[in-house]
């Protein structure tokens, strides 16, 4: 009975960690969407977020993560989240394999999840 209980507890822990990771990845995607919208439509002075607002802090941290990307990665990020192009469209424009573009986009999401949503 003890072994079965340990296995069940182990499975539960793994599932919990996987669910937390999925939530962080989804939230990172939303932060990147918000960043992309700000790139398209500059924020007016009236609607600026306060420095103590969690959204402002998350947006600042997201911008910091993105500033550490290479020029090529940043171009791909802008094409995806600011211009709204799919990975396939970007791959065609950049003349790179679609899988490579997806890997870059996934890497960026992981970076935002790890560094902004600790």
């Amino acid at each position: 009975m003890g072994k079965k209980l340990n296995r069940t507890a182990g499975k539960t822990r793994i599932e919990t960690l996987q669910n937390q990771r999925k939530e962080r990845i989804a939230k990172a995607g939303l932060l990147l969407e918000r960043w992309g919208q700000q790139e398209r439509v500059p924020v007016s002075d009236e609607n600026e977020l306060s420095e103590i607002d969690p959204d402002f802090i998350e947006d600042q941290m997201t911008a910091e993560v993105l500033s550490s990307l290479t020029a090529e990665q940043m171009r791909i990020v802008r094409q995806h989240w600011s211009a709204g192009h799919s990975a396939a469209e970007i791959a065609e424009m950049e003349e790179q394999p679609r899988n490579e573009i997806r890997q870059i986009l996934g890497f960026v999401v992981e970076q935002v999840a790890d560094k902004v949503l600790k």
Side-chain angles (χ1 to χ4, degrees):
M1 175 111 167
K3 288 181 183 180
K4 186 175 182 180
L5 188 58
N6 282 340
R7 277 196 309 266
T8 303
K11 281 184 180 179
T12 303
R13 267 193 306 274
I14 290 170
E15 287 173 358
T16 301
L17 291 173
Q18 287 173 337
N19 287 335
Q20 289 172 347
R21 182 177 181 277
K22 285 179 188 175
E23 289 173 14
R24 283 185 32 240
I25 296 295
K27 173 80 175 182
L30 292 174
L31 290 175
L32 287 162
E33 288 288 334
R34 191 163 64 202
W35 171 85
Q37 286 178 335
Q38 290 172 354
E39 284 275 302
R40 282 178 285 204
V41 182
V43 179
S44 67
D45 290 339
E46 301 167 5
N47 297 332
E48 278 194 35
L49 297 172
S50 162
E51 289 189 22
I52 58 173
D53 188 341
D55 286 346
F56 176 82
I57 295 166
E58 287 177 340
D59 289 344
Q60 289 297 107
M61 292 175 74
T62 300
E64 286 176 24
V65 169
L66 294 176
S67 70
S68 70
L69 299 176
T70 65
E72 177 191 8
Q73 290 171 331
M74 194 60 184
R75 188 173 60 248
I76 291 168
V77 165
R78 280 199 171 100
Q79 288 174 345
H80 185 68
W81 280 289
S82 293
H85 295 291
S86 70
E89 293 169 332
I90 297 168
E92 195 173 302
M93 288 185 277
E94 295 287 322
E95 297 178 354
Q96 293 182 9
R98 186 181 343 173
N99 195 36
E100 193 171 312
I101 301 299
R102 285 185 180 149
Q103 286 177 344
I104 291 170
L105 295 173
F107 168 78
V108 171
V109 172
E110 290 280 347
Q111 290 294 304
V112 170
D114 289 344
K115 295 182 179 174
V116 177
L117 304 171
K118 297 176 189 175

